[in-house]
Amino acid sequence: EGESAPARFKGAQREWLMRFLSKTFHGTRHCPVEEGGTTLLLALEHPALAVRVAALERLSQTVNAQAPPAFLAQALLRRIEDDEPAVALAALSWDKLITVVPTEPLLRALSATADAEGGKRQWANASQGAALQEQALRVLATSLLEQRPELADDVAKVLLRHLMVYPKSRRRNMLALKLAASVAHPVFGGLSGIWKEWKAARSEAADSSTPRGRDKDAKKSKGNAKPAAKNAKDDEILWDLNLRVVGAMSSNIVSAK
């Protein structure tokens, strides 16, 4: 116990000092980020991925979003464009992003991320880029649009580029369709009904894929469906969905004219 006492005392001193510095410099660029042993300002630009992520994850604890430090908006925009997907995703996931970053540059950054522009970023796998695109679409069509409803046209333009459902980007396309169905914009009229019908059909298909559902289907047909036939059926369903979406939006555009 005698040998461990100095270590415990030193740890207690460090903990007290970090609490003191955090309270003293709360909401400023000098607020400490313990993981990097540095300040918030430097942590957001730190070469270590883990330190940048830690700084972003602690923003709610370290800054006042109603009166953020002057450097923070530009720092967040740089982190949205970060080469590391974990950092960019952490920046896009901060709930006060809309409050801190000016609307015009944020709209540009979100649109570019959703459209996977800025080709210098090379992800280790496609899922990393897809996750960023999806989060950018969510922020555009929910948080940003709730704060700035007059941006409906700008948000609609981005969503339109992702509405057609393709097998390789199906998850992102379906998210765009779901978001568009909830956006109050003339061109998206009728998409809410299409989305609800799609969800119902997907739920029914999921039920039929359970062991009990497969047993019922087996009584109706002999043998198992071939993979090629299944893929063809999926393509047919997606094609039908795309036709319905295009048809609904075309009608809305004609009606608007």
Side-chain angles (χ1 to χ4, degrees):
E1 181 177 356
E3 292 179 356
S4 62
R8 290 204 305 273
F9 178 69
K10 186 175 181 180
Q13 280 186 316
R14 178 179 177 82
E15 183 179 346
W16 177 87
L17 180 60
M18 290 303 298
R19 287 202 306 269
F20 172 78
L21 292 174
S22 295
K23 291 181 179 180
T24 302
F25 295 109
H26 179 77
T28 73
R29 63 181 180 177
H30 303 297
C31 187
V33 176
E34 188 173 2
E35 287 84 349
T38 186
T39 64
L40 177 63
L41 172 62
L42 298 178
L44 286 169
E45 308 290 344
H46 201 279
L49 178 156
V51 177
R52 298 200 300 281
V53 170
L56 289 164
E57 290 179 344
R58 294 199 173 195
L59 282 178
S60 293
Q61 304 169 9
T62 55
V63 303
N64 180 355
Q66 301 304 320
F71 76 91
L72 187 57
Q74 288 301 318
L76 284 168
L77 287 170
R78 286 192 291 273
R79 298 291 65 81
I80 291 174
E81 299 172 352
D82 200 284
D83 291 338
E84 293 290 347
V87 177
L89 193 57
L92 288 173
S93 301
W94 188 40
D95 60 349
K96 302 297 189 300
L97 184 67
I98 308 300
T99 306
V100 172
V101 182
T103 300
E104 290 189 11
L106 180 59
L107 177 63
R108 289 195 296 270
L110 290 172
S111 300
T113 302
D115 294 337
E117 294 177 0
K120 289 185 177 180
R121 297 199 289 188
Q122 299 294 327
W123 311 127
N125 56 68
S127 64
Q128 293 177 336
L132 283 177
Q133 287 180 278
E134 291 165 14
Q135 182 62 16
L137 288 172
R138 288 189 192 96
V139 177
L140 275 168
T142 55
S143 306
L144 183 61
L145 203 53
E146 288 170 5
Q147 293 287 329
R148 300 291 300 273
E150 70 274 16
L151 296 177
D153 284 347
D154 297 289
V155 173
K157 290 175 184 176
V158 180
L159 290 174
L160 280 169
R161 295 195 283 270
H162 298 271
L163 277 185
M164 294 298 96
V165 183
Y166 298 97
K168 290 185 178 180
S169 56
R170 177 172 177 166
R171 176 171 164 171
R172 182 176 76 254
N173 302 145
M174 295 308 301
L175 173 63
L177 177 57
K178 176 183 177 181
L179 293 170
S182 64
V183 171
H185 192 279
V187 78
F188 294 146
L191 292 191
S192 178
I194 294 174
W195 171 249
K196 289 178 181 178
E197 290 174 13
W198 168 262
K199 283 202 304 182
R202 186 170 57 177
S203 177
E204 184 179 343
D207 289 342
S208 68
S209 68
T210 63
R212 184 175 180 179
R214 286 195 298 268
D215 290 342
K216 290 181 180 179
D217 293 339
K219 296 177 181 179
K220 298 179 182 178
S221 61
K222 296 180 180 180
N224 295 322
K226 295 181 180 179
K230 182 179 183 301
N231 292 336
K233 182 64 174 177
D234 288 344
D235 291 343
E236 182 181 341
I237 293 172
L238 292 181
W239 179 250
D240 179 67
L241 177 62
N242 286 334
L243 287 177
R244 295 188 63 193
V245 169
V246 171
M249 291 191 298
S250 299
S251 298
N252 295 333
I253 293 172
V254 171
S255 299
K257 291 182 177 180

